[in-house]
Amino acid sequence: MKNYISYLRPLRFPGFLLFLSCLLIPNLLKAQVDSIGWKANVAKINITPKAPMWMAGFASRTKPSQGVIHPIWSKALVIQDKDKNTAVLITNDLSGMPRDMSTRIKKKIKTRYGLNEDAVLLNFSHSHSGPVLKDYLYHVYPLSDDEIDKVNTYSDWLEDQIVELVGQALKGLIPAKIFTENGLTRFQVNRRNNTEAELGATTTTNGPNDYAVPVLKVTDRKDNIMAVAFGYACHATVLSVTQWSGDYPGFAQVELEKMYPGATAMFFQGAGANQNPLPRRTIPLAQKYGKELAAAVESVLNEDMKPLAAQLKTAYSEIALDLNEPPSNEVLEKMIKESSGHYQRWAVMMHEKVKNNTVELSYPYPIQIWKLGDQLMVALGGEPVVDYAVKLKTQYGNDLFVLGYSNDVMAYIPSRTVLEEGGYEGATSQIAFGHPGTWKPTLETKIFKRINRMMAGF
């Protein structure tokens, strides 16, 4: 202490202030400059079906929707950097979307607004309380021709609404600042390594898990919050009732928009394919988890957040992932005779494909990377298990935002370990998604090889 005092004593008070300002002002100015130069705007549209329809997510449902807990939404956040590079994040209170539908949306956005596919990121909350979409997992549900007509009409309307939504957001760009940080909440439980029925009797749960709550805050120049985009890696399956809702992510968005009037809250789903909110099955629990998630976001917003320089870079790529052959005709014929529900409908569909030689043994898998300032975001298609987030953060740092359920939700994406272990995420879920067989063991290696190659350009 004596050494510090003797060092400071020769400095008169004004000189000491000058000394401090030389240390602090450059950093303060840098923080201010880093967050200036963006333009942004946000828009949203209520996409709640106006008539009863079949709901997506649970094969056990036996009837269409009946009523609404709260509306479901599509929301678009457009950001533009100082060089006019522009991108749009579109979040949706939906279980997922098929490739053909998301491709049509992206093509319309490119034609109408000039945004390439790498600059358009569609993410789905994976709420199991939203509608079935066109040409998507039809065999899972006992859909009549009339019900399919309803699905097609709704889906065509939805496509147009999302494209119009992007146009609305693009029209109103204003100067903005963007900040990021990660929060934390712990209601996700690894469903492969913990038994739901026995959860109340245990004091510990087994992982892996990813408890991070990534938060992106967009403000105007006066620091009024325009948008809060936040994520969590956990299935939106608290509710299995027949009422429309966004499940716990929907309740979290409702809660945040109450806390911050005038702001739009947007939820993006992470790599939560093997993570469940437990316990579950009641509306009060969905509200509780929504409030917990909103509280984690509020905590981040109330702390200092990292300002992002107004520099935007985007990339998009697809890789062919290989699938195993379907079961033999004998096995399929036995399934047709002895099984029921979507297992039987899958067997009939696959038997027909084998007969007509139309079985597809690879799938184009989408990977998207964004960099906002120095904040990296990796968006993966399908339902990736949490192992992907854990490995990506080990490689690229815990600040990385990892999104699953992006652009095309075509299947579960198991790690090699989960694939070898089997179970629903590793094997039988392929039937629900209409694939002929499981993924080949090269799955994880191929995905990381492509991500690493893409990351080299950032």
Side-chain angles (χ1 to χ4, degrees), residues 24-34:
L24 299 176
I25 287 175
N27 289 329
L28 292 171
L29 287 174
K30 182 178 185 300
Q32 194 69 351
V33 168
D34 277 352

Side-chain angles (χ1 to χ4, degrees), residues 426-447:
T428 57
S429 64
Q430 297 294 84
I431 290 176
F433 280 93
H435 292 296
T438 55
W439 297 111
K440 288 200 171 177
T442 52
L443 170 84
E444 182 181 341
T445 302
K446 278 191 166 187
I447 290 173

Side-chain angles (χ1 to χ4, degrees), residues 57 86 97 121 170 186 253 292 379 385 413 438-439:
T86 307
M97 186 176 281
L121 200 170
L170 281 163
R186 292 181 180 269
Q253 291 171 84
E292 287 181 20
V385 295
I413 307 299
T438 55
W439 297 111

Side-chain angles (χ1 to χ4, degrees), residues 141-175:
Y141 317 103
L143 299 176
S144 66
D145 289 342
D146 285 345
E147 290 297 336
I148 290 175
D149 286 343
K150 286 183 188 177
V151 168
N152 289 342
T153 299
Y154 172 82
S155 298
D156 291 343
W157 172 84
L158 178 64
E159 283 186 32
D160 292 339
Q161 292 303 302
I162 291 174
V163 175
E164 291 290 336
L165 183 67
V166 173
Q168 289 175 33
L170 281 163
K171 284 177 188 172
L173 292 175
I174 63 171

Side-chain angles (χ1 to χ4, degrees), residues 39-40 79 104 109 111 137 171 221 287 290-291 306 340-341 348 353-354 358 376 381 395 410 426:
K39 286 188 176 180
I79 57 173
R104 285 192 299 270
I109 289 172
T111 299
L137 311 182
K171 284 177 188 172
R221 286 289 179 85
Q287 292 171 320
K291 287 180 177 179
K306 179 175 68 176
S340 61
V348 170
K353 286 186 175 185
V354 169
T358 57
L376 280 163
Q395 285 185 232
M410 80 303 290

Side-chain angles (χ1 to χ4, degrees), residues 184-187 213 252 287-297:
L184 185 77
T185 195
R186 292 181 180 269
F187 61 81
V213 179
Q287 292 171 320
K288 174 180 179 286
Y289 297 140
K291 287 180 177 179
E292 287 181 20
L293 182 53
V297 175

Side-chain angles (χ1 to χ4, degrees), residues 5-51:
I5 293 172
S6 62
Y7 173 73
L8 292 173
R9 189 174 289 127
L11 292 170
R12 306 245 177 226
F13 188 70
F16 183 52
L17 285 178
L18 181 62
F19 169 73
L20 280 179
S21 62
C22 289
L23 288 176
L24 299 176
I25 287 175
N27 289 329
L28 292 171
L29 287 174
K30 182 178 185 300
Q32 194 69 351
V33 168
D34 277 352
S35 61
I36 292 174
W38 293 103
K39 286 188 176 180
N41 193 30
V42 64
K44 64 180 184 178
I45 181 74
N46 185 334
I47 60 169
T48 313
K50 293 179 174 60

Side-chain angles (χ1 to χ4, degrees), residues 123-331:
N123 183 271
F124 309 96
S125 71
H126 200 50
S127 169
H128 283 37
S129 297
V132 172
L133 296 181
K134 186 176 186 177
D135 299 327
Y136 192 45
L137 311 182
Y138 278 2
H139 70 285
V140 175
Y141 317 103
L143 299 176
S144 66
D145 289 342
D146 285 345
E147 290 297 336
I148 290 175
D149 286 343
K150 286 183 188 177
V151 168
N152 289 342
T153 299
Y154 172 82
S155 298
D156 291 343
W157 172 84
L158 178 64
E159 283 186 32
D160 292 339
Q161 292 303 302
I162 291 174
V163 175
E164 291 290 336
L165 183 67
V166 173
Q168 289 175 33
L170 281 163
K171 284 177 188 172
L173 292 175
I174 63 171
K177 296 185 279 187
I178 302 180
F179 305 83
T180 61
E181 201 58 71
N182 274 284
L184 185 77
T185 195
R186 292 181 180 269
F187 61 81
Q188 62 165 231
V189 177
N190 190 307
R191 71 188 193 190
R192 289 180 64 83
N193 300 328
N194 302 277
T195 304
E196 183 172 349
E198 298 175 1
L199 194 65
T202 186
T203 56
T204 59
T205 57
N206 299 312
N209 300 89
D210 178 16
Y211 299 119
V213 179
V215 180
L216 184 79
K217 179 177 74 172
V218 182
T219 73
D220 63 18
R221 286 289 179 85
K222 295 181 179 179
D223 296 322
N224 299 306
I225 298 177
M226 299 164 57
V228 179
F230 64 101
Y232 195 52
C234 183
H235 256 73
T237 54
V238 182
L239 301 176
S240 56
V241 294
T242 53
Q243 296 162 285
W244 303 119
S245 82
D247 206 276
Y248 79 82
F251 282 109
Q253 291 171 84
V254 168
E255 197 69 22
L256 284 164
E257 290 182 358
K258 285 180 188 173
M259 293 178 190
Y260 302 96
T264 298
M266 306 171 64
F267 175 83
F268 54 84
Q269 184 60 260
N274 53 344
Q275 308 295 304
N276 270 2
L278 296 177
R280 55 180 181 162
R281 310 291 183 188
T282 71
I283 293 174
L285 280 170
Q287 292 171 320
K288 174 180 179 286
Y289 297 140
K291 287 180 177 179
E292 287 181 20
L293 182 53
V297 175
E298 181 190 25
S299 177
V300 170
L301 295 175
N302 286 339
E303 298 286 347
D304 291 335
M305 297 182 69
K306 179 175 68 176
L308 300 183
Q311 296 171 330
L312 172 66
K313 187 171 183 180
T314 60
Y316 180 89
S317 184
E318 292 181 355
I319 50 172
L321 297 183
D322 300 317
L323 291 154
N324 286 306
E325 297 274 353
S328 67
N329 279 334
E330 291 75 20
V331 171

